[in-house]
Amino acid sequence: MLLDYAMATALGCAGMAGLFHLAGEVLTLQNQVFQYGAAELVLREVKTLAHLTHGTEHFSGICSESSLNELSFYCEVLDGWLTHLPNHRFETLGDGSIELSWQLPDGARGSLITGLGEAMRHP
């Protein structure tokens, strides 16, 4: 009888460990989905700001230009969204598209690229 209880306890502990692992995976997936959504929003805003100002070759200095005070609200919003993308980097590619990359929770780097159309995902 004691052996039955020990086996039931071991199975229950294994089941709880599996449940905790599954919960961790679900939370990681939710975080990655949120980060990709935030990155897509940031890229669309940056692309729009770059289009309204000097084009994609100068987009990184848009928020620091003193002559563009009317854009300060949008720059603050972008800064807020960028806090959710750790170790983020922008890069202007040769075709005029903008790449945003950041560190995913598992240590890999995620990236999105805007081109002439919508944002494209690149894991």
Side-chain angles (χ1 to χ4, degrees), residues 52-122:
L52 291 174
T53 56
H54 302 294
T56 56
E57 61 273 359
H58 302 294
F59 79 92
S60 60
I62 291 171
C63 291
S64 61
E65 287 189 33
S66 59
S67 63
L68 300 174
N69 296 1
E70 62 274 2
L71 299 178
S72 63
F73 171 76
Y74 301 103
C75 292
E76 291 173 12
V77 170
L78 284 176
D79 284 341
W81 280 106
L82 285 171
T83 60
H84 300 291
L85 303 172
N87 300 323
H88 62 273
R89 287 191 307 241
F90 287 102
E91 184 177 346
T92 304
L93 304 177
D95 63 353
S97 58
I98 301 170
E99 178 181 14
L100 170 60
S101 64
W102 69 97
Q103 186 174 355
L104 295 171
D106 63 359
R109 291 205 59 87
S111 69
L112 284 177
I113 299 173
T114 64
L116 300 174
E118 295 293 314
M120 301 176 293
R121 292 178 189 224
H122 293 281

